[in-house]
């Protein structure tokens, strides 16, 4: 089975925060809410940055608006002089942002007061750059994908977590260099140290191809 490399994030939700800088705009959107046992809730709020012409498009939107975003994982390695180690950083970079259509508008082209359904999906196809077990039921896997971005083919590495009871079988079946496809969602968390929103890719399925 042959599949083209893929690195695609699809998000629909309401803008929670906007940070506008000189060279980029950072939009945080709410795509879901998880109820917790102690009567609290956890908001799923992916953070996406927009650069160049897409920054101009993102700047047309305001907090509270509903948006549909198509993005990709952008990765880079950098050397930290303090720790004397290479560190890996990844971000969601927006390729497209529009007001989403409701189901009625999609189906019949008619205006509706209903909002579009929330969406939060991540899709990847490419080579395994690395993988290892981080707990009994969780695997960390980095997937390298060569896809066209701004008309040029670029290689990015998506670092993902896969929670499964079958870690042993997966580590026996999938090795570095194998081609895989995977789907999942973008989770979010906030660091107490800087109160910034960070993304985490949680896979829901993974398959060798």
């Amino acid at each position: 089975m042959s599949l083209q490399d893929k690195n695609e994030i699809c998000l629909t939700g309401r803008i929670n925060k906007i940070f506008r800088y000189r060279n980029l705009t950072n939009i945080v959107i709410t795509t879901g809410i998880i109820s917790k046992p102690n009567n609290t809730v956890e908001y799923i709020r992916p953070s996406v940055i927009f650069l160049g012409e897409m920054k101009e498009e993102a700047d047309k939107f305001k907090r509270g608006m509903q948006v549909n975003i198509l993005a990709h994982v952008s990765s880079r390695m950098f050397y930290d002089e303090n720790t004397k180690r290479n560190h890996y950083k990844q971000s969601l970079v927006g390729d497209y942002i529009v007001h989403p259509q409701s189901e009625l508008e999609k189906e019949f082209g008619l205006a509706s007061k209903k909002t579009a359904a929330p969406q939060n999906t991540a899709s990847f196809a490419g080579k395994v750059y690395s993988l290892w077990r981080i707990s009994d039921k969780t695997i960390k896997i980095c997937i390298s994908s060569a896809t066209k971005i701004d008309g040029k083919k670029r290689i990015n590495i998506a670092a993902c977590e896969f929670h499964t009871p079958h870690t042993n079988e997966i580590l026996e079946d999938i090795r570095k260099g194998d081609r895989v496809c995977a789907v999942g969602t973008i989770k979010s968390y906030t660091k107490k140290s800087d109160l910034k929103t960070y993304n985490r890719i949680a896979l829901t399925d993974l398959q060798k191809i």
Side-chain angles (χ1 to χ4, degrees), residues 145-198:
S145 303
T147 56
K148 275 194 174 183
I149 299 169
D150 295 329
K152 297 179 180 179
K153 183 165 282 192
R154 302 181 188 275
I155 297 175
N156 285 294
I157 299 171
C160 315
E161 291 181 8
F162 186 35
H163 188 73
T164 172
H166 308 295
T167 54
N168 289 334
E169 293 93 324
I170 289 174
L171 290 172
E172 288 175 3
D173 182 51
I174 299 177
R175 303 294 173 89
K176 181 178 179 178
D178 287 344
R179 287 189 58 78
V180 296
C181 58
V183 292
T185 62
I186 306 300
K187 304 292 186 181
S188 61
Y189 62 96
T190 302
K191 284 186 178 179
K192 292 182 179 180
S193 58
D194 57 15
L195 298 179
K196 290 183 179 179
T197 301
Y198 294 87

Side-chain angles (χ1 to χ4, degrees), residues 39-58:
N39 293 323
T40 60
V41 295
E42 176 187 338
Y43 293 93
I44 301 173
R45 288 175 170 157
S47 174
V48 185
I49 62 173
F50 294 86
L51 307 165
E53 293 181 1
M54 287 313 306
K55 169 180 165 49
E56 297 177 13
E57 290 299 312

Side-chain angles (χ1 to χ4, degrees), residues 57-115:
E57 290 299 312
D59 285 341
K60 297 176 184 177
F61 294 84
K62 298 178 181 179
R63 182 181 178 185
M65 288 183 172
Q66 198 178 34
V67 290
N68 176 230
I69 294 172
L70 185 65
H72 67 275
V73 173
S74 176
S75 62
R76 68 183 181 91
M77 195 80 73
F78 65 94
Y79 182 74
D80 189 332
E81 288 289 348
N82 295 322
T83 62
K84 305 300 181 183
R85 294 175 59 187
N86 286 323
H87 290 269
Y88 171 84
K89 183 178 181 180
Q90 68 181 21
S91 305
L92 299 187
V93 177
D95 302 307
Y96 178 81
I97 180 170
V98 294
H99 291 289
Q101 290 183 315
S102 68
E103 293 303 316
L104 195 71
E105 288 174 303
K106 288 180 185 178
E107 195 69 27
F108 301 106
L110 300 174
S112 170
K113 293 182 180 180
K114 287 276 188 180
T115 57

Side-chain angles (χ1 to χ4, degrees), residues 5 125-130 142-145 176-180:
D5 283 12
K127 287 185 179 180
V128 176
Y129 182 80
S130 61
C142 297
I143 302 172
S144 173
S145 303
K176 181 178 179 178
D178 287 344
R179 287 189 58 78
V180 296

Side-chain angles (χ1 to χ4, degrees), residues 11-17 27-34 42-47 63-67 69 116-120 186 188 197:
L11 304 169
T12 301
R14 200 169 294 280
I15 296 176
N16 175 254
K17 296 177 183 176
I27 290 182
V28 179
I29 72 168
T30 302
T31 61
I33 302 175
I34 300 173
E42 176 187 338
Y43 293 93
I44 301 173
R45 288 175 170 157
S47 174
R63 182 181 178 185
M65 288 183 172
Q66 198 178 34
V67 290
I69 294 172
Q119 183 181 15
N120 183 331
I186 306 300
S188 61
T197 301

